[in-house]
Amino acid sequence: MSFIGRRGIIGPAYLSLGTQNSYGYSRSLSTLPDSEPSGTIGKLVAIVAERLGVGEMATNGLQLAVIGGALAGARYFGGFLVDFLKKRVVVTASFDSRDESYSWVLNWLNEHPYSQRTTQFSVSTSITSSGSSSLGEDRDKRFPPVYFLPAPGIHLLMYNNRLLWLNRELSQNSAAAVTKSSLERIHISTFGRSRDVLQQLVLDAQQKFIDRDLSRTVVFAADGYGNWRRTRSRPKRPLSTIVIPPCLKTQLVSDAKEFLVSEKWYSDRGIPYRRGYLLYGTPGSGKTSFVYSLAGELGLNIYVVSLSNKGLTDDTLGELVSDVDAAFVHRNRADGSGTNSVTFSGLLNAIDGVAAQEGRILCMTTNHKEKLDPALIRPGRIDVRVHFENATQEQARELFTKFYPGLTETESRELSETFAARIPNLKFSMAHLQGFLMGHKGLPIRAVDEVDSWVESHKDGPPKDTSSENEPLDA
Ligand SMILES: Nc1ncnc2c1ncn2[C@@H]1O[C@H](COP(=O)(O)OP(=O)(O)OP(=O)(O)O)[C@@H](O)[C@H]1O
């Protein structure tokens, strides 16, 4: 009873009212000193109630309601005032794990001396929200990268002689917590009203991240919510490792390079500034590998949309594609149908509708060009078509040479020619031949000796297992 009048505890006291009689409360309120605002309010209400001829019980209820309301209002406006003052003296930048900038900040934090000395740290093998290592697949997989990061909670650290406090929050949502993509947020604050120091921090973090990726090709995949997620990065694959007719390679690369510097040419003629390539043909013939190499050569990232992504709709697809500023790789479903709700017209819109991104290169890869709707690959959407076939003998020879670089020139020429002569033209994919050579790593002579029996054992058709080393782009 005695605590009812105390400021700040009216709420809980009110909850226990059922166990008290109304008279007791009335007494308590009326015996509060005048200096107590609730007492003053109580008295005022009692006076008004008396004038209005309201009964005692109703007066008590009215008093409590008015006092409760007054304190709730004070609390609300108090919070509002604190927020207002905070905005005047503190500047804060927030990062959300659904955005790529989150990875920049984690990477920056990982390199910050504070992360090496804090006693509260979390260990992670990934600094991307998708959970994949951003350092790519060339690292020794027995020893994945390790990142030491400040643990969830509040941390104080210095940046450019300024004190920052960082709050790392994990999602409380249990559903999100079990997925790899659980939501996390980082808020970085400092005193002052100028955003300069935090903006500089973001730019520094971004630069560090980009520098690390300079020699790598980064792949982003679409999630079902219209966001791009960085899925992996891998060392740039040199074009020289792609064994296709040299004139084809040169033609495609110079076409893409010319496109990237021709924005004005396109705008002068009112032509949408986009370029589309269709790479079609047998599985394992190098279509995906070529896209990787081309992106590496041009210094572009790869953005992949899998149309079998269940969450994808026309809207999210449109949003994603209007957001792409580099290469966009799309393993298509010929008719645009899938388990999601992307329609064929939605797909066409995403490719070259009004909102479609300018300055991008679209690469479609398919094993079945004949199943594609002609509208999807009409000129303007697809400008260059390239057919990838099973390996010619010339390709087999070149693949062998590249696979065993340690041979002398004469050995290399003789062995590669013998090897190629034993491979039937256009029967095996490059992936099959690569698979055979992988089984003879460092054993070029044995590879040549055993290739005949390998070919013979597959005379009724190429090996069924076409597993390639390349991760599919639409993973
Ligand atoms: N022309 C090629 N030159 C060099 N390597 C190749 C070539 N074609 C295939 N390979 C090798 O075979 C593997 C599979 O190639 P890739 O995934 O690029 O083929 P793909 O045509 O995209 O196949 P799919 O249509 O099944 O996706 C890769 O490891 C790649 O290194």
Side-chain angles (χ1 to χ4, degrees):
M1 293 266 285
S2 60
F3 56 79
I4 302 176
R6 269 197 263 143
R7 275 171 289 189
I9 54 171
I10 281 293
Y14 184 74
L15 286 177
S16 65
L17 259 182
T19 62
Q20 313 296 328
N21 66 51
S22 57
Y23 178 76
Y25 278 100
S26 161
R27 296 266 309 223
S28 298
L29 288 169
S30 61
T31 53
L32 285 171
D34 280 355
S35 58
E36 293 285 339
S38 50
T40 312
I41 293 170
K43 283 178 181 170
L44 279 175
V45 173
I47 293 166
V48 172
E50 203 180 312
R51 295 259 164 96
L52 292 175
V54 177
E56 191 185 353
M57 269 179 70
T59 306
N60 292 341
L62 197 61
Q63 281 175 331
L64 285 169
V66 171
I67 291 165
L71 288 176
R75 192 180 293 172
Y76 174 79
F77 285 109
F80 182 77
L81 192 70
V82 168
D83 254 18
F84 176 78
L85 289 176
K86 212 160 85 181
K87 279 183 197 148
R88 302 223 131 218
V89 291
V90 173
V91 54
T92 301
S94 297
F95 306 86
D96 183 315
S97 60
R98 288 168 296 191
D99 192 82
E100 202 205 334
S101 59
Y102 193 78
S103 301
W104 307 343
V105 174
L106 286 191
N107 182 52
W108 175 83
L109 272 177
N110 175 58
E111 292 181 11
H112 194 285
Y114 175 81
S115 300
Q116 311 305 320
R117 60 168 195 266
T118 175
T119 51
Q120 305 299 307
F121 63 98
S122 64
V123 181
S124 172
T125 54
S126 155
I127 53 167
T128 67
S129 44
S130 62
S132 66
S133 157
S134 69
L135 281 181
E137 45 272 38
D138 63 329
R139 289 182 67 104
D140 186 337
K141 290 206 169 123
R142 287 171 304 160
F143 302 105
V146 181
Y147 301 94
F148 297 103
L149 300 163
I154 294 183
H155 302 265
L156 295 178
L157 57 154
M158 297 298 290
Y159 168 74
N160 282 356
N161 295 325
R162 291 283 293 270
L163 176 70
L164 307 180
W165 60 102
L166 175 147
N167 186 4
R168 192 170 173 207
E169 289 176 355
L170 294 182
S171 166
Q172 297 304 310
N173 179 339
S174 55
V178 294
T179 68
K180 273 189 166 185
S181 55
S182 55
L183 186 61
E184 290 184 25
R185 284 205 185 87
I186 287 180
H187 309 280
I188 303 180
S189 308
T190 187
F191 285 116
R193 290 187 64 186
S194 163
R195 297 155 39 140
D196 290 355
V197 66
L198 293 185
Q199 280 179 354
Q200 189 55 47
L201 185 155
V202 174
L203 296 179
D204 277 0
Q206 183 192 38
Q207 191 61 48
K208 269 188 205 296
F209 206 73
I210 290 172
D211 287 351
R212 232 180 37 158
D213 281 341
L214 273 184
S215 57
R216 312 183 70 84
T217 301
V218 184
V219 182
F220 293 84
D223 64 16
Y225 308 99
N227 302 311
W228 288 113
R229 293 209 170 209
R230 180 189 167 109
T231 57
R232 57 184 173 272
S233 77
R234 48 160 52 192
K236 288 180 179 170
R237 179 166 179 164
L239 273 165
S240 58
T241 66
I242 307 293
V243 184
I244 53 175
C247 58
L248 192 59
K249 212 189 294 185
T250 328
Q251 188 193 329
L252 276 170
V253 174
S254 44
D255 184 276
K257 282 188 171 163
E258 198 197 316
F259 166 75
L260 290 177
V261 293
S262 305
E263 186 168 4
K264 185 161 173 355
W265 188 95
Y266 278 79
S267 77
D268 286 350
R269 286 158 187 77
I271 303 172
Y273 182 44
R274 299 180 196 118
R275 198 84 179 143
Y277 299 144
L278 174 67
L279 313 183
Y280 66 98
T282 35
S285 53
K287 301 179 292 296
T288 311
S289 309
F290 181 75
V291 174
Y292 266 113
S293 290
L294 184 65
E297 178 74 18
L298 302 175
L300 299 179
N301 296 328
I302 298 177
Y303 293 81
V304 186
V305 175
S306 167
L307 292 184
S308 55
N309 184 334
K310 288 203 178 109
L312 214 58
T313 63
D314 285 356
D315 286 345
T316 47
L317 180 64
E319 237 170 71
L320 283 163
V321 178
S322 64
D323 217 19
V324 167
D325 58 1
F328 161 49
V329 179
H330 159 222
R331 180 174 300 259
N332 62 75
R333 289 286 303 245
D335 52 3
S337 71
T339 48
N340 55 38
S341 49
V342 176
T343 63
F344 187 60
S345 65
L347 175 61
L348 297 186
N349 247 334
I351 294 173
D352 61 3
V354 251
Q357 177 79 25
E358 299 257 316
R360 58 96 182 119
I361 296 174
L362 165 69
C363 298
M364 284 190 200
T365 64
T366 181
N367 299 136
H368 300 287
K369 174 169 158 265
E370 67 289 351
K371 290 190 188 163
L372 297 184
D373 190 304
L376 186 63
I377 53 171
R378 68 145 170 76
R381 291 200 174 108
I382 291 296
D383 306 288
V384 182
R385 295 167 174 69
V386 190
H387 188 199
F388 283 68
E389 293 186 89
N390 276 339
T392 61
Q393 288 187 324
E394 176 51 26
Q395 280 177 291
R397 191 197 62 72
E398 201 180 328
L399 186 69
F400 187 96
T401 312
K402 290 186 190 305
F403 206 84
Y404 302 110
L407 299 172
T408 65
E409 209 181 312
T410 320
E411 278 172 343
S412 179
R413 192 182 57 250
E414 286 177 2
L415 286 172
S416 63
E417 281 174 1
T418 316
F419 175 78
R422 294 175 182 178
I423 301 287
N425 215 25
L426 299 176
K427 176 157 184 188
F428 295 100
S429 72
M430 290 293 278
H432 289 140
L433 296 187
Q434 181 181 271
F436 170 77
L437 294 178
M438 289 290 284
H440 296 79
K441 242 188 210 168
L443 303 168
I445 298 177
R446 194 190 293 180
V448 172
D449 288 347
E450 293 182 358
V451 71
D452 268 343
S453 55
W454 181 76
V455 170
E456 182 59 21
S457 66
H458 296 109
K459 66 174 185 300
D460 297 329
K464 283 278 178 291
D465 179 13
T466 58
S467 57
S468 69
E469 292 220 307
N470 250 352
E471 288 171 67
L473 278 171
D474 57 351

